[in-house]
Amino acid sequence: MRYLKLLATYLKINLKAIAIYDLDFYFALAGMIIQNVLNIVALRFIFNIVPRIKGYSFAQLLLTYALATLAFAIFRCFFINALNISDYIHDGRLDTILIKPVNPLFQLVNERVDEDAWGDLIVALLLLIIVDMQLHNPWYITAMFIFISLFTSLIFLGLAVLGNIVALLSNGLANLVETTFDFFDMSKYPLAIYSSTLRLIMTFIFPIGWVASIPQEKIAVEHEWIWLLLIPAACVFFFILIYQLWRVFLQKYQSTGS
Amino acid sequence: MKYRLMLIKVGIKKGLASKYALIFWLFSTLISLTVQYFLWQAVLTGKPTSEFQQTISYLILMQLLTVLFPKTSYEVNDKIRSGNIALDLLKPVAIATQLLWESIGYSIVKFALIGTVDLLICLWLLNFKIALSTILMVLVTGILAYLLYFELELLLGTFSFYTYSIWGISTFKEAILLVLAGNMFPANFYPAVIKRVASFLPFQYSFGAVGMLAQKPSWALFVQVVLIQLFYIILFNVLFKILFKRSVVSTVIQGG
Amino acid sequence: MIIKTKNLAKRYRKVKAAKLFHKEYRTFYALKNVSLEIHQGDYVGLVGLNGSGKSTLIKMILGILQPDGGIIKTFDKDPLNNRQKNAAKIGVVFGQRSQLRWDLPAMDTFKLNREIYQVPERVFIKRVTKLAQMLQATEFLEQPVRTLSLGQRMKAEFIAALIHDPELLILDEPTIGLDVLTKNNITQFLQQLTDKTIIFTSHDLDEVAKVCSRILILNKGKLVLDQSIQELAELDVPASITFTSADKLSADLIKQWPNMVQLENGSYQIAKIKQANLKEVLSTITARIPVANIEVKSNKLEYLLAHLTRQEVQ
């Protein structure tokens, strides 16, 4: 409850900070919307070449795209600051966070919201609704997808934190933070297009297959409702795993001070 | 010239100092190529393999250009936000000169690492068959594309005199590049109308045009591309100078 | 008891030589055998040069750094495992780091802290109003932080650190880069605070002495001095006098002060004058010489550091 209230305060302040750059904000909003539209147009071009990709129609591929974008937009809107953890450590700002009586990761994640992902969020939601209508999916499937996206965004959060931890533990040897964006690119397509090895990796190691491909197949195609629980459970499980790593990392930070 | 060499060296040093960022770029490039590879393999099943090879090598080239090209707009914006631009304005050398040669140095380092990997994959895909004239054409248009892109970034950076921050405009730019430059999607798969529109706008000449030459080299196309590139470089340069002068005069630099 | 440490130590490894495949390290102590007690209501000045271990000690008190040896208790608890619990009772001002949101008014950070520390709305308003009055900060709290001067920003940092009325206030070099006026302002403010325990770190002994009643001096990780301000004042620290004069000095005066030197800029300096003789020397100068400018200085910290280290050697 206390954290919910905190969340609201953070959100209010963060949105206020964005509003300061109003001109740029609208540019960004427009930019993101255009980018998405163009992405979709590009996808459409592909279907000018072939009618189906691995059995997926244009509308089905759009659904994968919409699900991935929605989850990623939620990540970007609310968890984007997880990408900056290593900056906080390099310039010592982590100390100012550790001295507050609130969970450090919670503070970190909430210190900033993304300025330009709101366009993504709008497009993804609209697209999801439109595509579901085109595919004649009933309304509750759309609702289920929105529900699931709240959890699948945790996968991106987990990957972002993981990237930071790897970067910091390796003394910057591998700065893999922004790789989260590349993982997002991977999640935009059905698992079916990848090779079997990659499919395994994307299911069990870096769980990006769970973001869009698996929900689409299990919910929209096969209507196996048990996955409504399994998918969030998998996301939460992955995040808890990463969170434990983060705690180990914090301990290391506290013992060396760097 | 000596001064420019110094700037290149500074850029190279910056690049070497951020070797970890470079490893990330490489990693990121490889993931992105993987996605492209499987996507186009799925799309082009049943088509002749040469088409797949060409498409992928085109995309690799585009990826490479994207990595190599400078992010000057962010640098300019940083300078404006921190007020450090005042220091640069005091120097007797144009700010554009400083930025250009430094980014060239940085790009050299990036090319040495990522370029090598990218080009090897590219050559491997093409069974190591590539004409000398093609290399020449790609090299020349590639360098001009670099300059063109740099000018574009400078212009964008100058806008942040007005908007104070840069991400909005930058997102906007990426959106335009995405489709009109042909760096994410092979331009020859465009419908005819867009192909025509894109061929008049500057964006394609910093990405797609280079790739098209690599795919289907011809001297006629080469000359056409080079001329258009030069035209836009000069146009942008003049635009930048006018805009920059006005901005510096009319804007109070944000100080700290 | 607010803080208690016993034989506290912290080792660091520093890269001695970076070879291609491995690095050679050298171990050195950031803190060595530091034992101290800080009681409720103490105003403690923690003084030392750069790298003396001040920040390391502060970090351990806050529970963000683990000791390599010895015991430390903050509010009678292990600070590392009770970090978040203790944090509710501690306020920190870092001179070199800001907790204020750069692009927003300071007031927004205060509101955020209100939620973080769960301060009731009514109490919050009363407290902010009062603190802002004391610091003469009322008029700029609604301006974006990036438009504030350093002095104004620091005042806002103080308010942000005090919103939850912490028992322990830690000031880590809070006056770095501030002008004299703001420094005085902050000094006065700190003197007005009641029922707090304060730890004030600085490399300027005189500044800390204005606020604190007890001084700790750290040198190369060791606690070399722990005395009340009165005891410290009684220490015989020699002073130096620098003065300028338009006239030439007479020969007997020059003879009287054999250790007087003429500086490059033409002024005269007499160094190492004992406290007992200071008055006499001063009155002689003012009586005999038409001085244009005169300055008395005692570099207590430098003297103490030199003196204390020598004592140890003996």
Side-chain angles (χ1 to χ4, degrees), chain C residues 182-229:
Chain C
T182 318
K183 270 189 193 176
N184 288 343
N185 221 303
I186 287 177
T187 310
Q188 276 172 21
F189 170 73
L190 291 174
Q191 287 162 346
Q192 285 170 40
L193 287 179
T194 45
D195 59 72
K196 297 248 174 306
T197 308
I198 295 182
I199 302 178
F200 185 154
T201 84
S202 174
H203 50 253
D204 184 348
L205 182 59
D206 295 327
E207 184 183 289
V208 167
K210 280 183 204 153
V211 179
C212 300
S213 54
R214 179 178 155 202
I215 302 290
L216 305 175
I217 297 182
L218 275 174
N219 190 27
K220 293 177 184 157
K222 285 183 192 158
L223 187 62
V224 291
L225 180 131
D226 180 355
Q227 275 178 348
S228 73
I229 204 83

Side-chain angles (χ1 to χ4, degrees), chain A residues 24 38 115-116 172 175 182 198, chain B residues 20 24 28 38 165 167-168 171 175:
Chain A
D24 217 33
L38 296 183
E115 299 88 348
D116 49 7
N175 191 354
D182 297 307
L198 265 176
Chain B
Y20 301 139
F24 153 70
S28 167
F38 286 111
S165 73
W167 36 259
T171 311

Side-chain angles (χ1 to χ4, degrees), chain B:
Chain B
M1 203 60 219
K2 210 173 160 194
Y3 177 70
R4 290 175 171 76
L5 272 177
M6 283 257 297
L7 285 171
I8 291 184
K9 259 191 211 158
V10 170
I12 291 180
K13 273 195 188 140
K14 257 193 204 167
L16 291 176
S18 59
K19 52 181 179 270
Y20 301 139
L22 289 181
I23 294 174
F24 153 70
W25 276 110
L26 184 64
F27 194 72
S28 167
T29 306
L30 291 177
I31 294 188
S32 171
L33 286 182
T34 312
V35 177
Q36 300 277 13
Y37 182 91
F38 286 111
L39 176 66
W40 287 96
Q41 200 181 44
V43 171
L44 297 173
T45 32
K47 299 264 160 80
T49 39
S50 66
E51 197 172 342
F52 172 66
Q53 285 172 346
Q54 279 189 355
T55 308
I56 283 295
S57 51
Y58 171 95
L59 288 169
I60 294 176
L61 190 62
M62 291 304 106
Q63 182 98 48
L64 179 60
L65 291 183
T66 311
V67 171
L68 289 187
F69 285 174
K71 297 227 172 344
T72 312
S73 58
Y74 283 91
E75 268 174 74
V76 175
N77 179 48
D78 265 359
K79 282 176 192 286
I80 290 171
R81 282 182 84 149
S82 64
N84 284 344
I85 196 149
L87 296 176
D88 292 310
L89 292 174
L90 289 174
K91 289 185 193 157
V93 192
I95 188 161
T97 316
Q98 294 171 42
L99 289 169
L100 174 65
W101 295 94
E102 237 188 84
S103 7
I104 289 180
Y106 194 51
S107 298
I108 288 174
V109 180
K110 284 198 268 191
F111 185 77
L113 179 71
I114 298 154
T116 318
V117 176
D118 273 356
L119 291 181
L120 275 177
I121 298 175
C122 222
L123 285 174
W124 172 69
L125 278 169
L126 297 170
N127 298 321
F128 296 95
K129 270 182 269 174
I130 192 160
L132 204 64
S133 61
T134 311
I135 296 178
L136 184 77
M137 284 183 208
V138 170
L139 202 65
V140 172
T141 51
I143 289 170
L144 288 173
Y146 189 95
L147 290 176
L148 179 58
Y149 189 80
F150 173 76
E151 297 285 350
L152 193 68
E153 284 278 305
L154 268 187
L155 271 176
L156 279 181
T158 317
F159 276 128
S160 63
F161 270 112
Y162 303 103
T163 57
Y164 188 60
S165 73
I166 190 78
W167 36 259
I169 293 180
S170 182
T171 311
F172 201 72
K173 173 205 75 182
E174 270 160 37
I176 288 174
L177 287 183
L178 187 73
V179 81
L180 291 177
N183 64 340
M184 286 305 269
F185 189 84
N188 57 342
F189 288 132
Y190 285 162
V193 191
I194 296 189
K195 229 189 221 174
R196 242 188 108 69
V197 173
S199 71
F200 288 116
L201 294 171
F203 312 106
Q204 201 182 46
Y205 294 95
S206 53
F207 285 100
V210 185
M212 279 194 267
L213 273 171
Q215 266 185 305
K216 297 201 175 77
S218 88
W219 289 104
L221 183 64
F222 174 71
V223 171
Q224 192 195 334
V225 168
V226 168
L227 284 178
I228 297 177
Q229 281 180 325
L230 284 174
F231 168 74
Y232 273 118
I233 290 172
I234 293 165
L235 180 71
F236 279 3
N237 196 304
V238 172
L239 262 178
F240 164 69
K241 279 190 178 137
I242 295 170
L243 200 66
F244 190 73
K245 215 176 212 167
R246 273 198 45 191
S247 311
V248 172
V249 174
S250 66
T251 317
V252 182
I253 291 170
Q254 304 275 353

